Amino acid sequence: MQLVWATDRFVFQCTYHDRHVPKEAGFNWNPKQKQWWTADPIKAHKLIEYAEPETRKMILTKLQQYEDTLSASRALNADIKIPAPEGLEYLPFQKAGIAYALDRPNVLIADEMGLGKTIQAIGIINMDDSIKTALIIVPATLRINWKRELEKWLIRPMTVGIAVSKTWPDTDIVIVNYDILKNHRENIRRHEWDCLICDESHYLKNPKAQRTKEVVGARGLSPILARRKIFLTGTPILNRPVELWTTLKFLDANTWRSWRYFTDRYCDAHHNGWGWDVSGASNLDELQEKLRSTIMVRRLKIEVLKELPPKRRQVIALPNNGFTKTIEAEWRAFKKREEMIRDLKIAVELAKASDDPQEYREAVEELKRGLRVAFEEMSRARYEVAMAKLPMVIEHIKDVLDSEEKVVVFGHHLDVLNAIYETFQNEAVILTGETKHEDRQLAVDRFQNDPSVRLFIGSIKAAGVGITLTAASTAVFAELDWVPANVSQAEDRLHRIGQANSVLVQHLVLDGSLDAT
């Protein structure tokens, strides 16, 4: 029996009678070449006693590389200087993520939500001068956010454009959403990209979905070609390992060759009487180590808490496609209100200067009437904006729930809050001004203590004071309040005694709307 190194794998040579030796060590059997093999240095090390001197040296070298990669995938700092625009700086754990990615052609950055996966991807572009072109594929709601982050963090002279249904930008970096990939097959496949970034890459978990086929390829459709691939996801990816398969096969086909082996080993594959059930999970510690030793870097918020501020805010601008008139109406109402208030205040001051009490009283009453009218017009306009962005808000909440165990959503209009509740009612509670007093604390207690209640939906005023929502560390504002202090008070329902994490606050605004300024 002998263990040898053969180009890219360890091969164990033995007789049929001794086949149990490599089999028990976890080696793979190749029936075509009739050999036992593995690329895993840990498995090879189990049979190191059978290795030639050069093979023994290779095992130890590969084993050290394996340990170094494992450490790098968990690293919270790195001795690397990463350029950033003036006034900006990468956090230590973000530098470590960029360093890990630069050492391999393909990477899965799986940090928890809110730890800066986007800017780490941009940091890789900043560090790799060979990247002249980049394709960034994102959910539709994140297109504008990516463009703004690139404009903020990119230090290289690269142009950035967003693809829409029928228009492809002539830029160095192109941002396109998953839903319209099919529209731009020719543009996407006309050359090999220097860098492909897929944000929220768990969107590709279903190999039968059209968007998955458009990225990783299918029968009659080639995969997107890219020299470097960067996938980003904050989803707890080991909950259902089978959902990882398309990503792993695309990023690291040499390691993940066999669907059958993967599902048997990590998905608890079994026949349920109707067919093969691969929705389970097994050997998760082994899977996580294997991922970390090859392509995955993942850090948790609790691990980097000291580097994070107690409260972080993100403004996420949602696309305003088709809502130009709605936004224009909001701005008209706002400007009319401002002009009316100015004119009426001048009238009040003039009446006051006239020393005529009756004239002054009439001016004050006119001011009050004018303010009521202006407020009603403004309220109608803001309601239309809130309803316009509602479908995108719901999609965003779904994405956040993919990554977070519990989430708090704040809003203002009852129609908005009720629509969100109707979508998520099987895993949500709601607290508005219409909620009975005796039911309010019950809703809070259920959210705080019941694992099946993952979403708390509350109006900014009714749920913005006097309650504790520390079971979540992520707050999403579907709408903003007229008074900034009310928003801050609502945020502090999460950011209070008992909160173990840094709180992430997301403000969802329609691009170009009043809230976006």
Side-chain angles (χ1 to χ4, degrees):
M1 292 186 289
Q2 190 175 39
L3 181 63
V4 298
W5 172 252
T7 310
D8 62 348
R9 61 184 64 184
F10 297 98
V11 175
F12 192 79
Q13 301 167 342
C14 66
T15 64
Y16 179 80
H17 177 74
D18 294 318
R19 68 189 184 281
H20 66 281
V21 176
K23 187 174 182 179
E24 290 173 1
F27 277 54
N28 305 302
W29 170 249
N30 186 323
K32 290 183 179 179
Q33 297 179 351
K34 298 189 182 303
Q35 63 178 209
W36 291 94
W37 69 274
T38 185
D40 188 341
I42 295 179
K43 294 176 180 177
H45 190 263
K46 294 177 181 178
L47 303 181
I48 196 170
E49 62 184 289
Y50 302 104
E52 303 173 318
E54 287 302 311
T55 302
R56 179 186 294 266
K57 187 184 297 183
M58 180 61 73
I59 291 173
L60 297 176
T61 298
K62 291 287 185 182
L63 202 58
Q64 185 60 54
Q65 291 173 351
Y66 175 88
E67 294 296 337
D68 291 344
T69 304
L70 272 183
S71 297
S73 77
R74 295 187 174 94
L76 304 182
N77 203 347
D79 186 18
I80 182 174
K81 184 172 178 58
I82 301 172
E86 187 175 352
L88 299 176
E89 187 177 358
Y90 291 93
L91 295 172
F93 73 88
Q94 292 168 344
K95 292 180 181 179
I98 295 169
Y100 179 95
L102 290 171
D103 281 342
R104 48 196 41 78
N106 302 330
V107 67
L108 174 63
I109 301 180
D111 290 340
E112 279 192 316
M113 182 181 172
L115 297 189
K117 294 184 290 293
T118 300
I119 64 172
Q120 289 179 68
I122 298 171
I124 296 166
I125 295 175
N126 282 337
M127 289 290 288
D128 186 350
D129 291 338
S130 68
I131 296 177
K132 310 296 184 186
T133 62
L135 177 66
I136 302 176
I137 306 175
V138 304
T141 56
L142 296 180
R143 290 176 300 174
I144 296 171
N145 190 62
W146 261 94
K147 188 173 189 294
R148 291 182 176 179
E149 289 296 286
L150 283 160
E151 291 168 348
K152 180 179 179 180
W153 285 90
L154 200 63
I155 63 159
R156 296 178 55 206
M158 301 176 75
T159 54
V160 181
I162 297 177
V164 293
S165 293
K166 297 181 180 180
T167 305
W168 186 261
D170 183 19
T171 52
D172 303 319
I173 299 176
V174 177
I175 303 166
V176 60
N177 53 294
Y178 288 100
D179 302 332
I180 62 171
L181 289 173
K182 188 175 180 179
N183 298 9
H184 295 292
R185 279 184 185 173
E186 185 177 342
N187 288 311
I188 290 172
R189 286 169 172 77
R190 66 185 175 190
H191 59 73
E192 181 179 22
W193 297 87
D194 294 326
C195 183
L196 168 66
I197 298 174
C198 288
D199 195 10
E200 304 292 354
S201 61
H202 51 275
Y203 270 48
L204 304 176
K205 63 187 178 183
N206 181 2
K208 296 181 181 179
Q210 187 62 41
R211 62 190 176 200
T212 306
K213 295 176 182 178
E214 293 294 334
V215 175
V216 307
R219 183 173 297 177
L221 179 63
S222 63
I224 296 175
L225 296 179
R227 182 175 53 80
R228 180 185 287 281
K229 304 183 188 80
I230 304 168
F231 276 33
L232 313 175
T233 180
T235 301
I237 54 181
L238 298 184
N239 286 358
R240 288 169 61 92
V242 69
E243 295 177 352
L244 268 176
W245 174 253
T246 50
T247 291
L248 299 182
K249 188 69 175 174
F250 188 54
L251 295 183
D252 190 10
N254 286 332
T255 299
W256 306 98
R257 303 184 184 204
S258 168
W259 157 263
R260 181 63 185 272
Y261 175 82
F262 179 82
T263 53
D264 282 348
R265 185 69 183 164
Y266 303 115
C267 305
D268 190 27
H270 61 277
H271 203 281
N272 60 14
W274 301 94
W276 283 98
D277 183 348
V278 295
S279 62
S282 51
N283 301 304
L284 293 185
D285 289 343
E286 177 185 308
L287 175 58
Q288 179 150 182
E289 281 216 351
K290 195 164 185 177
L291 290 173
R292 288 184 177 278
S293 70
T294 51
I295 60 169
M296 185 182 81
V297 57
R298 178 168 171 82
R299 281 74 53 92
L300 310 179
K301 280 183 277 193
I302 196 69
E303 295 171 337
V304 298
L305 199 55
K306 292 180 180 178
E307 298 176 30
L308 299 175
K311 190 190 292 185
R312 295 160 290 145
R313 292 185 179 91
Q314 292 179 344
V315 177
I316 298 178
L318 304 174
N320 61 16
N321 302 25
F323 303 123
T324 303
K325 291 183 178 179
T326 303
I327 293 171
E328 288 175 351
E330 183 190 36
W331 276 103
R332 280 197 305 272
F334 173 74
K335 289 174 182 177
K336 182 178 179 181
R337 172 178 173 270
E338 292 298 294
E339 291 170 1
M340 185 177 291
I341 290 172
R342 182 194 64 207
D343 293 344
L344 290 171
K345 282 184 175 179
I346 291 172
V348 168
E349 290 302 315
L350 290 173
K352 189 175 182 181
S354 72
D355 289 330
D356 184 340
Q358 180 62 25
E359 184 180 346
Y360 177 68
R361 281 194 296 272
E362 289 175 356
V364 170
E365 286 303 314
E366 186 64 27
L367 172 61
K368 290 179 180 178
R369 282 193 296 272
L371 288 176
R372 282 195 296 272
V373 171
F375 179 79
E376 288 170 2
E377 290 184 8
M378 190 71 213
S379 295
R380 282 195 296 272
R382 287 178 69 82
Y383 172 80
E384 293 300 326
V385 169
M387 297 305 292
K389 68 179 180 180
L390 179 58
M392 290 182 286
V393 168
I394 289 172
E395 285 304 307
H396 181 82
I397 294 169
K398 289 177 181 178
D399 288 340
V400 175
L401 283 171
D402 278 341
S403 303
E404 296 291 298
E405 290 298 321
K406 287 180 179 277
V407 179
V408 175
V409 174
F410 288 112
H412 173 68
H413 292 98
L414 278 175
D415 286 350
V416 170
L417 297 169
N418 287 333
I420 295 172
Y421 180 68
E422 287 174 12
T423 304
F424 299 98
Q425 57 185 303
N426 292 333
E427 53 183 344
V429 292
I430 186 169
L431 196 166
T432 71
E434 294 188 343
T435 306
K436 294 179 181 178
H437 183 74
E438 59 269 25
D439 292 336
R440 296 190 177 197
Q441 191 58 47
L442 178 62
V444 172
D445 290 343
R446 286 190 62 205
F447 180 73
Q448 287 286 92
N449 302 312
D450 186 345
S452 68
V453 178
R454 302 183 57 214
L455 188 65
F456 181 95
I457 303 161
S459 65
I460 294 172
K461 289 186 178 178
V465 293
I467 62 174
T468 296
L469 301 172
T470 51
S473 60
T474 299
V476 176
F477 281 81
E479 303 174 85
L480 300 183
D481 194 83
W482 292 90
V483 182
N486 291 342
V487 174
S488 182
Q489 281 187 331
E491 292 173 356
D492 287 340
R493 299 313 93 209
L494 290 74
H495 181 241
R496 56 198 290 116
I497 294 173
Q499 180 56 260
N501 286 307
S502 170
V503 173
L504 175 64
V505 179
Q506 296 184 327
H507 295 164
L508 306 186
V509 301
L510 202 59
D511 190 38
S513 68
L514 194 58
D515 286 338
T517 57

